[in-house]
């Protein structure tokens, strides 16, 4: 499946619109929909829109969600930490914290739409779902941040593994505790002798030289995200693109303020302030901040950029 794939376009939530995925496919990459937060109907519509724009193959990325229990104290403190932001953006101070897990419906959507490539982040689906997808001849890709996670993916019967180095932008795909931050080159060298599956290198890859380096040490192909954000086909605001272009490799840090999971991005006044306060676990922090992010799509206040 990946023999002729040179570059995989990383699935980036809020970024990978049907136009962007189709453009990635037409440019020669394997495009991916970020379907983690989508309802069944939203996901089906995105798949159908892409197919109207390209006949080339593409995949869907899904989140394996396992929401933890949320204590009243943590919830109260996390809400209080955001009160000034709600006020500044004229938002309700009582966001809806009901978490709807659409995972099973998402699986049904990709089966109904006959999608043949699916990747998973934040964990592995249960064996029943794996068997169901295998019966449909779906190519399964797991996301690993350590060699032990890679072994778990291989043992589950997957077809390929994304090795997400600590340099990678966006959320860490970690699903085994404790969190570990392994640089990409080290992760490839540790994993390659242990598994025979194709390895997809991800994390800080911006140039042809960097890509060739990871291929030389054992990766089979690469997944690229941040470098594509500044492409004309990417529909994020110009201000976001400019912030990326003005940054350096040392500008980013790991941020939990927006979702409760560590995500590499550019720090802002908001993330610096929230880092000193109580942050709810994922996905509840995301439910608390999603209206902030949505409101800022119009306001474009750099204090709330999530890049």
């Amino acid at each position: 499946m990946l023999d002729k794939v040179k570059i995989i376009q990383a699935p980036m939530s809020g970024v990978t619109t049907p136009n962007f995925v189709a453009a990635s496919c037409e440019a020669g990459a394997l495009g991916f929909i970020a379907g983690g937060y989508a309802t069944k109907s939203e996901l089906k519509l995105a798949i159908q829109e892409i197919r109207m724009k390209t006949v080339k193959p593409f995949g869907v990325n899904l989140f394996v969600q396992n929401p933890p229990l949320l204590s009243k104290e943590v919830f109260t403190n996390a809400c209080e930490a955001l009160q000034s932001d709600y006020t500044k953006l004229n938002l309700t101070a009582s966001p809806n914290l009901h978490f709807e897990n659409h995972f099973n419906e998402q699986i049904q959507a990709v089966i109904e739409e006959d999608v043949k490539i699916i990747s998973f982040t934040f964990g592995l689906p249960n064996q029943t779902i794996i068997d169901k997808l295998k019966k449909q001849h779906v190519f399964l890709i797991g996301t690993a941040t350590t060699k032990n996670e890679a072994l778990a993916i291989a043992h589950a019967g997957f077809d390929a593994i994304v090795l997400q180095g600590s340099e990678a932008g966006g959320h860490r795909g970690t699903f085994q505790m404790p969190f570990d931050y392994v640089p990409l080159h080290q992760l490839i060298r540790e994993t390659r002798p242990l598994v025979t599956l194709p390895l997809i290198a991800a994390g800080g890859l911006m140039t042809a030289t960097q890509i060739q380096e990871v291929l030389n040490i054992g990766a089979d192909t690469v997944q690229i995200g941040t470098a594509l954000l500044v492409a004309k086909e990417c529909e994020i605001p110009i201000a976001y693109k400019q912030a990326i272009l003005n940054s350096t490799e040392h500008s980013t840090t790991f941020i939990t303020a927006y979702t409760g999971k560590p995500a590499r991005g550019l720090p802002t006044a908001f993330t610096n302030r929230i880092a000193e306060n109580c942050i709810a676990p994922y996905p509840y922090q995301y439910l608390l901040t999603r209206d902030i992010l949505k409101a800022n799509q119009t306001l474009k206040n750099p204090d709330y950029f999530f890049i």
Side-chain angles (χ1 to χ4, degrees):
M1 177 68 76
L2 297 180
D3 292 348
K4 297 181 180 180
V5 175
K6 302 299 182 183
I7 292 176
I8 295 173
Q9 164 247 302
M12 297 173 282
S13 182
V15 173
T16 49
T17 61
N19 285 335
F20 180 66
V21 175
S24 297
C25 295
E26 288 299 300
L30 175 61
F32 257 91
I33 301 172
Y37 296 123
T39 63
K40 179 180 179 180
S41 59
E42 289 170 343
L43 187 54
K44 287 174 69 72
L45 180 60
I47 292 167
Q48 292 163 10
E49 286 186 18
I50 293 169
R51 284 185 171 145
M52 289 190 290
K53 300 174 186 296
T54 183
V55 297
K56 296 186 177 180
F58 59 89
V60 172
N61 173 259
L62 300 177
F63 293 164
V64 180
Q65 308 275 19
N66 295 294
L69 294 175
L70 178 65
S71 73
K72 183 177 180 180
E73 180 183 7
V74 169
F75 165 67
T76 299
N77 292 337
C79 283
E80 288 178 353
L82 296 168
Q83 289 307 306
S84 62
D85 304 292
Y86 294 140
T87 300
K88 184 185 298 184
L89 298 171
N90 295 316
L91 299 172
T92 175
S94 301
N96 181 9
L97 269 192
H98 176 63
F99 175 69
E100 294 186 54
N101 192 340
H102 300 291
F103 186 72
N104 289 330
E105 293 179 353
Q106 292 166 346
I107 294 294
Q108 193 59 38
V110 296
I111 289 175
E112 290 175 6
E113 294 297 327
D114 200 27
V115 175
K116 293 303 185 186
I117 307 170
I118 303 178
S119 68
F120 295 93
T121 306
F122 304 149
L124 300 174
N126 62 46
Q127 195 61 50
T128 299
I129 290 176
I130 293 173
D131 292 343
K132 181 185 290 188
L133 293 172
K134 283 291 187 180
K135 190 175 181 180
Q136 300 296 320
H137 306 290
V138 177
F139 191 85
L140 301 179
I141 304 173
T143 303
T145 60
T146 66
K147 64 181 180 181
N148 288 335
E149 289 180 343
L151 283 171
I153 292 168
H155 291 159
F158 275 52
D159 300 297
I161 304 169
V162 172
L163 292 181
Q164 186 190 38
S166 58
E167 306 91 336
H171 283 100
R172 302 292 294 154
T174 300
F175 61 91
Q176 292 181 346
M177 296 295 111
F179 264 84
D180 200 0
Y181 297 90
V182 184
L184 180 58
H185 283 219
Q186 178 184 338
L187 185 56
I188 295 171
R189 289 191 172 101
E190 290 178 350
T191 305
R192 182 72 285 173
L194 304 177
V195 300
T196 58
L197 296 180
L199 298 180
I200 303 163
L205 301 175
M206 302 286 177
T207 67
T209 299
Q210 291 172 328
I211 291 172
Q212 191 58 54
E213 286 174 353
V214 297
L215 295 178
N216 289 343
I217 62 174
D220 295 279
T221 188
V222 299
Q223 179 171 283
I224 295 178
T226 304
L228 301 181
L229 291 176
V230 296
K232 65 180 181 180
E233 293 86 356
C234 181
E235 299 169 64
I236 64 173
I238 295 297
Y240 282 37
K241 293 184 179 183
Q242 198 57 54
I244 294 169
L245 291 170
N246 290 340
S247 66
T248 71
E249 61 179 312
H250 303 296
S251 298
T252 62
T253 188
F254 285 108
I255 296 164
T256 56
Y258 284 111
T259 68
K261 274 187 180 290
R264 183 179 286 283
L266 297 176
T268 66
F270 172 76
T271 60
N272 290 337
R273 179 176 62 79
I274 295 299
E276 302 173 0
N277 290 281
C278 181
I279 296 173
Y282 178 87
Y284 301 106
Q285 186 71 14
Y286 160 72
L287 299 177
L288 287 170
T289 63
R290 60 181 172 182
D291 287 344
I292 292 174
L293 291 172
K294 185 176 181 180
N296 202 49
Q297 290 178 357
T298 301
L299 297 175
K300 299 181 178 60
N301 183 338
D303 287 351
Y304 297 103
F305 282 0
F306 184 26
I307 305 172

